[in-house]
Amino acid sequence: MTTDLDLKTTLSTRRIVGLWRMITGYRAIYAGAFLCIGLAAVCQTVFYFLLRYFTDDVLGVEAMRGQLAWVAAGFIGLALAQGLFTFMGGRWATMTSENVIRRLRDYLYDHVQRLTFAYHDKTPTGDLIQRSTSDVETMRRFLGEESVGLGRILSLFVVNFVGLLTLNPRLALISIVVVPLIVAVSIYFFRMIGKRYEIFQEEEAKLSTTLQENLSGVRVVRAFARQDFERQKFEVTNRGRYDSGRKLLVLHAVYWPSTDIIVGIQLIIGYAVGATMAINGEITVGTFLAYMGMLTWIMWPIRNVGRLIVQMSMALVSFDRVAEIIRVDREPLDAGTHRPDGPPHGEIVFDDVRFAYAEEMAVLNGITFRAEPGQVIALVGPTGSGKTSLVNLLPRFYEYQGSIRLDGVELRDYPRRYLREQIGFVLQEPFLFSRTIKENIMYGVHREVTDEDVYRAAQAAAVHDVILSFPDGYDTVVGERGVTLSGGQKQRVTLARTLLKDPAILILDDATSSVDTETEAAIREALQELIPGRTTFIIAHRVQTVMSADLILVLEKGRIVQSGTHAELLEQEGIYRRIYELQSQIEDELQQDLAAAHAAAGSNGHYRTPERQSADTAALD
Ligand code: DGT
Ligand code: MG
């Protein structure tokens, strides 16, 4: 069940109010749970009154023999009723907490997906995972277990205390003298442990981050034989977690015995006073027995009140940590005044665009150019010159200064959803989900597609035959049973994914960087057919890839230093011509080497693999 409960405003208020709002929709059942818990406590106390009656008025009184069966039935009935109420209370509370927390988890998952790139760039994944799992779990225990526990303790206290008052007011008052002391001690610890717990959670988040980073970077670690270094790094983090965990434990270790002692002393005093009064005949034996029972049921709760308050304080910290994420503004997907019905024509105009990831560190500066509908725009330039950053602005992954217009309308006026539906992006770092290859290719399409469409996209990306060579073909699950794809294969699968989406604007960020020259040529040919009609941005390091573009922009340090067609740029003195000459030279040498290798192979029957690597990786930088 999803409700339209606005968890953002709910969790943005103060903790208790926030929690109260969070249980919207389950309040009645939650109240029912507490009612049951209260009734169970009443049964408990009535039990001792029955015990008193039984001891004083039935036991050993000949005339009351007939009552025995009734009394027995009363004991059984009370036990049953108490069990039933306890069961119902627990069940309803669990039902509330499970549902409320499930709703929170769903919301959180969705929320995290909708946060801005800028937020994700600066927030460690481990921290987000910690908050969405461990902290949410702590909140679940708060709602389902601890608050119910506290409810049980309070109702036992109230009901038993009222019971004691009716037995003997003087005894009742003697029985609770230590209550203020215990409350004071527990409040003291409640504060200390809350603070420590916050540190502990932070340490644990660090640990998750380290672990997660090491696991995803496991290849790098091995390649550089840095296991020892990583182990030491992990040990330091783990030690930090251990230390803060130990400090928490120490606090617990001090708290429990000290409250034990206080409660123990109180019980001894209570029993002693009660026994003396019974011996002196001030109270009956039945009253004394009932008193002992009720006193135990008052003291037991008091002893636990501290523990629950402590745990609830942890939950409140968790509440804050979860609320902190929820308060972060989402990237509005649908905000925007300009909502065309169909795809755009694809005219894109950059006008003095400036952009920075962090303030004062401009990554792009004064970017101005025009792309006509259907044109191919190539971006070249040294690594770090801002090519990826420039194309990232088109789907509005980041906010920019200046003006970018699509079909004459400022990008900011389009809903982000529209832009992302119309723009096909092959990201520089290919990412595949652990699903089948087919599902991966179909990931971006919202319409019905046939298998034929999928195959065609894969063919255009020159990956169809590769996929068919896998044991399960298109149904091969990526990453399972040893079927991992090479960098180039992954890149081509992501290319197929974007081609299948059939977007009006196509962005290929180094989409063929880990593909050999021959395959790249095949892809380029297929793209030539696909590109007409759509505005395309190609980022590449090989001049060959960008030669045929309608407009080549050469970036350097976030500025366009040269622009024009291949022919125009060759005529100019500048970075483009230098790169071209360098790459052509490498090509020529390669050809010569190849010819030499062929000749050698022809003469002595050997064939040596030519060193083509150098040409493939001859980058523009
Ligand atoms: P490439 O892919 O190596 O050929 O380089 P480009 O041209 O795609 O460079 P780009 O746009 O990724 O980076 C330009 C500058 O921006 C560079 O100094 C690194 C910085 N940068 C890139 N991504 C981020 C990011 O997510 N956050 C921050 N703070 N800076 C970033
Ligand atoms: Mg890049």
Side-chain angles (χ1 to χ4, degrees):
M1 185 184 79
T2 47
T3 58
D4 11 309
L5 178 63
D6 178 7
L7 277 162
K8 187 177 164 93
T9 25
T10 295
L11 269 84
S12 297
T13 53
R14 298 184 41 196
R15 298 152 161 189
I16 298 301
V17 181
L19 283 165
W20 172 246
R21 291 204 186 144
M22 251 177 78
I23 58 169
T24 303
Y26 296 91
R27 280 181 196 154
I29 195 174
Y30 204 47
F34 282 94
L35 184 68
C36 285
I37 299 293
L39 288 174
V42 170
C43 291
Q44 179 85 57
T45 305
V46 172
F47 181 92
Y48 289 112
F49 275 101
L50 190 60
L51 180 68
R52 183 176 73 149
Y53 172 68
F54 172 70
T55 316
D56 290 349
D57 300 339
V58 181
L59 208 64
V61 180
E62 199 57 35
M64 297 298 272
R65 263 236 158 152
Q67 294 284 318
L68 268 178
W70 288 111
V71 172
F75 279 129
I76 293 171
L78 282 172
L80 284 179
Q82 195 193 346
L84 184 73
F85 285 134
T86 307
F87 170 75
M88 290 311 291
R91 195 181 135 74
W92 284 345
T94 313
M95 216 155 117
T96 306
S97 68
E98 291 297 335
N99 280 298
V100 166
I101 293 301
R102 183 184 43 75
R103 185 162 68 187
L104 175 67
R105 271 202 207 102
D106 283 348
Y107 181 86
L108 206 57
Y109 181 72
D110 181 51
H111 182 71
V112 169
Q113 307 239 32
R114 289 166 189 270
L115 297 176
T116 59
F117 275 69
Y119 181 80
H120 281 292
D121 284 351
K122 68 178 185 344
T123 311
T125 316
D127 187 56
L128 278 181
I129 291 176
Q130 173 83 358
R131 288 175 195 234
S132 334
T133 52
S134 166
D135 284 311
V136 170
E137 171 63 16
T138 311
M139 285 170 74
R140 186 194 63 74
R141 281 206 306 273
F142 176 92
L143 285 175
E145 293 161 26
E146 287 142 15
S147 59
V148 174
L150 195 67
R152 176 175 294 131
I153 286 165
L154 288 181
S155 45
L156 277 172
F157 178 82
V158 170
V159 174
N160 279 306
F161 186 62
V162 171
L164 282 184
L165 281 176
T166 62
L167 281 183
N168 186 309
R170 192 152 67 92
L171 265 183
L173 292 176
I174 287 174
S175 311
I176 58 157
V177 286
V178 296
V179 171
L181 180 63
I182 297 198
V183 169
V185 169
S186 72
I187 284 175
Y188 174 72
F189 277 88
F190 159 85
R191 293 221 174 110
M192 295 267 286
I193 290 183
K195 262 184 241 149
R196 285 274 158 82
Y197 182 67
E198 210 164 339
I199 299 171
F200 178 72
Q201 286 287 71
E202 275 161 25
E203 289 290 338
E204 201 160 82
K206 264 191 236 160
L207 198 70
S208 316
T209 306
T210 314
L211 195 66
Q212 186 248 344
E213 217 173 73
N214 274 353
L215 290 179
S216 33
V218 69
R219 281 160 214 277
V220 182
V221 176
R222 303 227 168 146
F224 286 87
R226 293 288 273 176
Q227 282 100 331
D228 282 341
F229 171 77
E230 288 299 331
R231 200 198 60 228
Q232 276 160 15
K233 205 174 78 182
F234 184 81
E235 278 171 3
V236 170
T237 324
N238 197 16
R239 162 72 52 178
R241 180 196 175 278
Y242 167 80
D243 283 341
S244 57
R246 199 172 46 95
K247 284 178 188 152
L248 257 184
L249 276 180
V250 167
L251 280 178
H252 279 285
V254 173
Y255 177 73
W256 290 111
S258 44
T259 52
D260 268 353
I261 292 170
I262 301 171
V263 169
I265 292 173
Q266 171 68 62
L267 282 178
I268 291 170
I269 294 173
Y271 292 165
V273 173
T276 316
M277 288 171 84
I279 290 165
N280 294 342
E282 284 172 63
I283 55 173
T284 64
V285 175
T287 302
F288 177 63
L289 283 181
Y291 167 73
M292 283 213 337
M294 288 186 206
L295 179 60
T296 315
W297 281 104
I298 280 189
M299 279 304 132
W300 171 77
I302 294 298
R303 186 188 176 285
N304 273 276
V305 120
R307 174 176 69 91
L308 287 173
I309 288 179
V310 163
Q311 283 172 349
M312 288 169 97
S313 81
M314 295 176 179
L316 294 182
V317 174
S318 287
F319 177 93
D320 288 346
R321 286 167 50 83
V322 173
E324 219 171 85
I325 306 182
I326 286 186
R327 257 180 302 214
V328 177
D329 281 329
R330 293 177 180 198
E331 181 184 56
L333 264 184
D334 295 302
T337 48
H338 187 68
R339 302 161 183 271
D341 290 328
H345 297 295
E347 183 210 42
I348 294 170
V349 179
F350 274 62
D351 194 357
D352 193 24
V353 172
R354 274 153 293 132
F355 169 69
Y357 288 101
E359 273 160 50
E360 91 262 350
M361 286 251 301
V363 168
L364 294 174
N365 224 326
I367 302 290
T368 303
F369 68 89
R370 164 190 291 271
E372 300 296 343
Q375 272 193 338
V376 176
I377 313 295
L379 297 171
V380 297
T383 146
S385 55
K387 306 180 293 293
T388 301
S389 306
L390 192 153
V391 291
N392 271 348
L393 298 182
L394 289 169
R396 286 188 66 197
F397 289 162
Y398 296 95
E399 295 303 326
Y400 55 88
Q401 290 177 311
S403 162
I404 305 176
R405 287 185 298 277
L406 170 63
D407 291 351
V409 178
E410 187 61 43
L411 276 190
R412 295 187 195 96
D413 293 337
Y414 287 94
R416 288 180 176 78
R417 189 190 299 279
Y418 176 80
L419 292 174
R420 290 174 197 177
E421 274 166 8
Q422 301 303 329
I423 295 174
F425 215 126
V426 179
L427 298 171
Q428 189 164 15
E429 281 135 29
F431 180 83
L432 297 180
F433 294 95
S434 306
R435 303 180 195 158
T436 65
I437 293 185
K438 194 165 134 196
E439 283 172 302
N440 266 296
I441 295 181
M442 286 166 63
Y443 188 75
V445 287
H446 300 288
R447 62 199 148 81
E448 283 291 312
V449 285
T450 63
D451 285 355
E452 285 305 311
D453 297 330
V454 176
Y455 300 157
R456 216 171 304 127
Q459 268 154 357
V463 72
H464 180 68
D465 295 332
V466 178
I467 296 172
L468 287 186
S469 73
F470 293 140
D472 296 327
Y474 277 85
D475 294 322
T476 306
V477 177
V478 176
E480 256 184 25
R481 277 184 289 148
V483 183
T484 41
L485 279 69
S486 74
Q489 288 166 346
K490 263 192 220 161
Q491 216 170 36
R492 283 179 281 158
V493 172
T494 56
L495 180 60
R497 169 159 79 197
T498 303
L499 293 180
L500 184 64
K501 186 178 165 185
D502 195 23
I505 297 163
L506 186 61
I507 299 173
L508 307 173
D509 190 352
D510 247 359
T512 50
S513 60
S514 22
V515 171
D516 60 279
T517 340
E518 234 164 89
T519 313
E520 200 213 334
I523 294 176
R524 205 159 39 198
E525 216 165 280
L527 282 180
Q528 293 294 340
E529 275 175 43
L530 286 165
I531 282 173
R534 59 182 108 222
T535 312
T536 305
F537 288 81
I538 295 184
I539 297 178
H541 284 286
R542 283 183 208 130
V543 171
Q544 274 185 339
T545 317
V546 302
M547 258 162 56
S548 57
D550 299 298
L551 176 65
I552 301 172
L553 304 174
V554 183
L555 262 76
E556 202 174 24
K557 296 199 182 103
R559 291 179 181 277
I560 297 178
V561 289
Q562 276 185 298
S563 67
T565 62
H566 178 68
E568 286 164 5
L569 290 179
L570 278 190
E571 277 169 23
Q572 296 174 13
E573 187 64 44
I575 176 171
Y576 188 83
R577 194 161 83 186
R578 279 207 307 280
I579 294 161
Y580 177 73
E581 280 163 3
L582 196 66
Q583 288 195 359
S584 316
Q585 192 188 337
I586 293 169
E587 280 291 313
D588 288 346
E589 281 169 17
L590 179 72
Q591 292 304 329
Q592 283 163 17
D593 282 354
L594 266 174
H598 271 293
S603 62
N604 59 20
H606 285 295
Y607 178 75
R608 279 179 299 141
T609 315
E611 302 257 330
R612 64 184 334 162
Q613 201 62 16
S614 55
D616 276 357
T617 49
L620 283 167
D621 41 78

